[in-house]
Amino acid sequence: MNGLIDSHKRRINYLRISVTDRCNLRCRYCMPKEGVSQFGPSEILSYEEILRLAALAVKRGITKVRITGGEPLVRKGVVHLVQELSRLPGVKDLSMTTNALLLQDFALDLFRAGLKRVNISMDSLEPQKYREITRGGDLNRVWAGIEAARRAGMSPIKINVVAIAGFNDLEIEDFARLTIQENFQVRFIEFMPIGLSSEWKPEHCIPCQEIKARIERISPLVPLEEGANGHGGPARLFKFAGAAGEIGFISPVSEHFCNSCNRLRLTSDGKLKTCLFSDELTDLKPLLRSGAGDLELGKKLDEALLTKPLHHGSIGGVLKRCHLPMVKIGG
Ligand code: SAM
């Protein structure tokens, strides 16, 4: 097999790059009110360092790159990074995960720089509830960001909803109904045990099967082979007959998809993380800053790949918990 293959014969072609651990929101399930301690400017990788690692990874077989954070749009110069990443030969799919609060200011420049699609995190459709969940976020700005992305030409627009019992579960049907008129891909994601500060308890996680059953009370869902645009990822995709948009289910907790996991994550301080639920990290920064050549750095990447576990594992039937908060990993 050609390309980047891990020790369990999975083809690894997807790199998620976190460009910052800072965020302009404090979502209750993701971060404590006071935030988490932040990396200093010299601790995070420069764009040149990120691009060097990305280029090496792309040479080895990465074809999909996602920019994330923290909130990626709070880091200055992110449009430049998008432009440079989109120019790497071999990058076939470049995307970004954002809370969209700043997207209205950046959408057109990002699109022109080569970002053709975005995933937007939005856990409530009610302004007051959204403000509560995010500790201060303004839902109007999210909608303005979505509109700006649409006007710029980005497609598909995916809306990610982390479904949490007692938090936003009463809005599941409303999110699903949104796809009847609007060409969004609304994806429900199970709440994962990530980060020490997370309020995660098994009873907070709503299995996707339950979410789907609730949605099907509105109308049956028709399964799709793949997203209309070929961008399904780990989501199982459906739509209401005749609807403009699609509905996806991502179930890392109830039905893990480790067998087909194709991803690596690079944290903003230069650590490679091969499994979201594992605490194992390979620090690439010392080598990167010691004047190492591409051969040596590439070897380190290959070694890190060997640490990718077959399975994210569970303890007594409960998913193993990753201790780094999502904001530091890059969701
Ligand atoms: N700031 C950007 C955003 O809001 O999309 C990117 C980073 S954010 C950490 C990425 C995604 O991780 C968000 O969609 C957030 O809802 C999700 N997330 C954070 N903690 C999570 C958890 N414990 N389980 C599932 N998703 C989580």
Side-chain angles (χ1 to χ4, degrees), residues 50 64 68 103 111 167 170 179 189 194 223 258 271 280 316:
I50 292 175
K64 289 181 67 169
T68 179
L103 195 56
F111 184 77
F167 221 57
L170 298 179
T179 65
I189 303 174
I194 305 264
C258 304
K271 298 192 172 108
E280 189 149 351

Side-chain angles (χ1 to χ4, degrees), residues 23 29-30 68-72 97-99 119 121 123 160 162 189-194 198 326-327 330-331:
C23 190
Y29 62 90
C30 188
T68 179
E71 171 48 42
T97 299
T98 171
N99 59 33
N119 285 17
S121 307
D123 297 325
N160 288 347
V162 180
I189 303 174
E190 289 175 349
F191 185 31
M192 297 180 277
I194 305 264
S198 150
M326 199 67 140
V327 68

